[in-house]
DNA sequence: TTGAAAGCGCTAACAT
DNA sequence: ATGTTAGCGCTTTCAA
């Protein structure tokens, strides 16, 4: 239910105009920094605004101009630094423009994502940036019907709703597998989040697996868990995994947090890394390199992807032609854990 | 500069009204779920909206009602789980209401915070939630001049702008110090972020110190660093600290991430925890309990504080009387690191 | 360089 | 239970 608070009666342009002895239009022009306003007039008006404590009403502005300045951004979670760095990138890309991001959290739930898209659309944002390429058909339809630019970021797809900036998750898995195969490892296991929750991780896992298959190898065990986040997941389930497939040489983890947790267990239990078990993962988060034994991982360019996404949106808003699909790449980081 | 995109001409209430054969007012009522609309009419209108793909224009709505549905939330950073959990709590508190949070990031910069407050005020949010109690005088003035409720969260203060939900950071430091003194530790050092950046941490440090003073003890060394975040900070600077004050028994860290990093170094360097050096900190984050040697820390109720903040805002919006200052408390968690 | 008039799309307040 | 009227505070468009 909406509240009972008194409507926020605040100053209007008109009162500023009166104080400055000009028309509302002049004040409006000063406000937006557009057109030609005489330097004196501008200064006088600014002084009055400051004096009265006037705050530009963007609601009225957006309505009159039928043009918002918000960029709707939807991420699955803020619990992972992966997404907060993405947001930082977007913020950087939007810096010094009139646009600002408005963040929505879908909790890895596509229905919720749809709700958020719908709710945000009510504010007529100038553009959308969504993490991931998987959405409800209805979400896609809504977004396609909308004139504003839409960027899907993090994963790569051939058929974006509009624009896509991402990395080939499958390939990231494959490259890591090949790296490990080159080191003559033969016995592999997988530890991570439930595939239905984290689709990117699932793609990496599949890519990893496909590389193994080429050598007639497969995971000896895949342990996926649904209810825990990163570190705890690794810490609590690593022993189960090791129990389930004794003699396994490498545990490929769905991300660095899981790998860090797995390493915590090994340190605790006195299991030698990488001699007894090797660890590899994905993300390139701070924790991977800060661990006593730095983790071999793949760094994804989160910040850069965020920045690129913002730039694509801006370009489109300026009527420029925009590359539909951009592969942002990744980088294998060799630690000492494998 | 704003872009050149075509204004987002979308469907209006009027077209839905025409299609459903009712007045715009009826559509508006259906949209907001208010008043009495005949069940049939409501169904018919809803069908038309669905059919045409109409999306409620909240900009026009907010203008007409001079009442927004956004709650402006400003946190210093999203890099720490402390703030993302706070946001999750706020989201939980706002769940099933018409209100939604809009997030701003100040980067621990009070000037930037002021800019964000000003920008957000342009959207006439129904309420504000700010992390921390330190703000520019101008920020306070802006907020006070505004009719909407303002919650300051995380820290405690006697003189909130409006409402305060927090914990006594000083006391958290004091309690930890007393806990360690009880264990007969005598030689202490501090490792953390620069005091000017993280004020809460600084308050804890002072509280800790005041407890030491009562026993005629003081930190033998305080190492504060400005340019690194949590884990790396601990990992990289722990050796410097140990070098600077050999024989120190306890290192009190500004938060769990720092302590985790410090522990990483010790594990790496073969320094026995807690025999050779004990570690204590603050936050109660996942990583603290997942470390090979669980860290002795103080858990702050982030989620709960977020939820409480949202509830206070809602209560005020409903015209209810609201407790001005709420101490959310904290909990000492004994690990094995001290 | 500045101003006057006409709405942007919706909702409050009042009819009916 | 539904409709009518008059704005919300700004910007667009056109005129001076």
């Amino acid at each position: 239910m909406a509240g009972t608070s008194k409507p926020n009666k605040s100053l209007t342009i008109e009162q500023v105009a009166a104080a400055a002895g000009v028309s509302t239009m002049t004040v409006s022009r000063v406000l937006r920094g557009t057109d030609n306003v005489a330097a004196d007039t501008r200064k006088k008006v600014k002084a009055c605004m400051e004096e009265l404590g006037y705050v530009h009403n963007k609601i009225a502005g957006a309505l009159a101009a039928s043009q918002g300045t918000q960029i709707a951004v939807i991420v699955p979670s803020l619990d992972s630094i992966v997404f907060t760095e993405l947001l930082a990138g977007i913020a950087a890309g939007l810096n010094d423009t009139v646009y600002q991001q408005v963040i929505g959290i879908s909790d890895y739930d596509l229905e919720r994502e749809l709700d958020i898209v719908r709710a945000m659309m009510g504010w007529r944002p100038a553009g959308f940036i969504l993490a991931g390429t998987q959405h409800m058909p209805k979400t896609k339809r809504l977004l396609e019907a909308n004139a504003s630019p839409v960027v899907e970021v993090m994963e790569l797809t051939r058929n974006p709703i509009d624009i896509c900036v991402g990395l080939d998750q499958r390939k990231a898995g494959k490259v890591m597998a090949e790296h490990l195969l080159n080191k003559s490892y033969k016995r592999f296991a997988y530890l991570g989040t439930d595939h239905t929750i984290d689709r990117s991780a699932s793609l990496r896992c599949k890519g990893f697996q496909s590389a193994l298959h080429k050598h007639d190898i497969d995971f000896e065990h895949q342990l996926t868990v649904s209810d825990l986040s990163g570190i705890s997941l690794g810490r609590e389930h690593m022993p189960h995994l090791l129990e389930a497939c004794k003699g396994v040489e490498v545990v490929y983890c769905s991300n660095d947090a899981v790998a860090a947790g797995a390493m915590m267990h090994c340190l605790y239990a006195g299991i030698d890394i990488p001699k007894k078990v090797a660890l590899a993962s994905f993300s390139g988060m701070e924790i991977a390199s800060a661990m006593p034994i730095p983790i071999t991982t793949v760094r994804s360019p989160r910040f850069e992807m965020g920045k690129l996404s913002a730039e694509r949106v801006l370009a489109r808003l300026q009527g420029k032609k925009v590359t539909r699909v951009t592969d942002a790449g990744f980088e294998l980081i060799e630690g000492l854990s494998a």
Side-chain angles (χ1 to χ4, degrees), chain A residues 244-261:
Chain A
C245 52
K246 300 189 175 172
V248 71
E249 294 170 342
V250 182
V251 175
Y252 181 52
C253 300
S254 61
N255 64 49
D256 289 347
V258 173

Side-chain angles (χ1 to χ4, degrees), chain A residues 37-294:
Chain A
V37 179
D40 310 4
T41 319
R42 163 162 286 142
K43 197 176 292 178
K44 191 171 52 182
V45 170
K46 281 207 166 162
C48 286
M49 299 198 310
E50 179 68 23
E51 163 95 18
L52 299 173
Y54 171 78
V55 180
H56 188 185
N57 187 333
K58 293 191 190 170
I59 299 178
L63 180 60
S66 4
Q67 238 283 27
T69 58
Q70 313 192 311
I71 307 293
V73 179
I74 305 182
V75 293
S77 146
L78 291 182
D79 291 348
S80 166
I81 208 169
V82 167
F83 298 113
T84 57
E85 285 184 18
L86 179 76
L87 297 178
I90 294 172
L94 257 30
N95 210 11
D96 285 326
T97 73
V98 295
Y99 301 99
Q100 347 155 353
Q101 59 181 325
V102 179
I103 302 163
I105 320 284
S106 72
D107 282 324
Y108 289 97
D109 178 344
L110 297 182
E111 296 260 18
R112 205 162 157 49
E113 184 189 59
L114 172 56
D115 288 343
I116 296 174
V117 167
R118 217 187 254 117
M120 286 186 154
M121 227 166 227
W123 292 100
R124 302 293 186 269
F128 283 87
I129 300 179
L130 311 188
T133 56
Q134 239 193 3
H135 318 285
M136 311 232 69
K138 214 167 198 168
T139 309
K140 290 196 189 184
R141 245 176 289 134
L142 261 174
L143 256 11
E144 278 159 359
N146 199 295
S148 7
V150 178
V151 176
E152 291 168 277
V153 65
M154 302 299 278
E155 289 172 23
L156 224 44
T157 174
R158 299 244 145 263
N159 298 309
I161 298 173
D162 183 9
I163 302 166
C164 175
V165 175
L167 65 85
D168 190 335
Q169 301 278 352
R170 228 178 186 107
K171 191 165 149 198
K174 216 173 87 187
V175 164
M176 179 58 85
E178 283 161 359
H179 173 74
L180 296 167
L181 287 164
N182 277 341
K183 297 202 154 204
S184 309
Y185 287 114
K186 302 243 176 317
R187 306 186 55 187
F188 298 85
Y190 180 81
L191 177 61
T193 318
D194 201 289
H195 286 324
T196 56
I197 299 176
D198 187 342
R199 182 151 176 278
S200 300
S202 158
L203 290 172
R204 294 194 291 273
C205 179
K206 281 186 189 123
F208 194 101
Q209 210 170 12
S210 76
L212 293 185
H213 287 168
K214 284 197 188 127
H215 294 245
D216 286 323
I217 305 180
D218 200 347
F219 284 126
E220 302 197 2
H221 202 84
Q222 291 189 43
L223 181 52
T224 58
V225 189
S226 64
D227 47 11
L228 290 170
S229 68
I231 299 178
S232 309
L233 192 162
R235 176 84 149 105
E236 290 183 25
H237 290 279
M238 184 67 169
H240 305 152
L241 181 63
L242 293 177
E243 181 65 29
C245 52
K246 300 189 175 172
V248 71
E249 294 170 342
V250 182
V251 175
Y252 181 52
C253 300
S254 61
N255 64 49
D256 289 347
V258 173
M263 184 178 285
M264 305 274 190
H265 167 71
C266 295
L267 290 170
Y268 174 77
I271 298 168
D272 188 325
I273 297 174
K275 274 197 192 131
K276 181 80 177 157
V277 196
L279 249 27
S281 65
F282 176 89
S283 287
M285 310 194 312
E286 183 189 19
I287 198 175
S289 57
M291 292 296 292
I293 301 152

